[in-house]
Amino acid sequence: MANLFELFIFDGAGKLLYYEDIQRLLYHSSGKGVPRMGSQQSTLVFEGNEDERDFLNRVKNIFGICFTLRSLARTISPTPINSFRSFVTSKYKLSIFEALTGVKLILLSAPDDLDYGPLLGSLYSEAYVEFARKNPFYTLGEPIDCPAFQAKLRELFGSLLPSATANTSRP
């Protein structure tokens, strides 16, 4: 069973375009100290007790670790490479999909979970491209605030957890 934690979507310059706590997305639960993307102002809204500064520092660290690991992989690889796909610790697995446009989708999951590269590729092509890039009301580089985008994420993540789309509260 998939144990997904968080999804981050960054533009090429490292600006956070979208953040989602996956369990909250799938189970429609109320926030427990997790920030969510705001609706009208396209900003992060903090619920519960997570400090805004701590979250923003964490976002910078997530982006920074991906940038650093990509640079390290390029440096030590005997053959030329453009990116890396995942990084695993004892506590989590960081999976990344980097599009040619520079957009990065980063997924944090349990360390023993499967390869999420294909899922992140699907998220990019079926959700980001379809509901953000092709949306005439979306401004590139701005946070993504689109109910259809979020519904598509729920559908794609829900395919990994079949009972998730039927439940309305956490088990």
Side-chain angles (χ1 to χ4, degrees), residues 55-76:
F55 176 75
L56 294 177
N57 282 335
R58 195 163 155 267
V59 167
K60 288 178 188 176
N61 288 335
I62 294 284
F63 184 81
I65 191 93
C66 291
F67 182 82
T68 302
L69 288 172
R70 181 181 55 175
S71 296
L72 178 65
R74 284 180 179 167
T75 302
I76 64 174

Side-chain angles (χ1 to χ4, degrees), residues 55-114:
F55 176 75
L56 294 177
N57 282 335
R58 195 163 155 267
V59 167
K60 288 178 188 176
N61 288 335
I62 294 284
F63 184 81
I65 191 93
C66 291
F67 182 82
T68 302
L69 288 172
R70 181 181 55 175
S71 296
L72 178 65
R74 284 180 179 167
T75 302
I76 64 174
S77 176
T79 59
I81 61 169
N82 291 324
S83 188
F84 72 99
R85 293 179 7 174
S86 64
F87 174 74
V88 181
T89 72
S90 62
K91 302 287 183 189
Y92 67 90
K93 179 178 185 177
L94 182 147
S95 300
I96 184 169
F97 174 85
E98 187 172 357
L100 294 175
T101 60
V103 171
K104 295 165 189 61
L105 287 83
I106 299 169
L107 180 66
L108 297 179
S109 63
D112 55 347
D113 268 356
L114 45 111

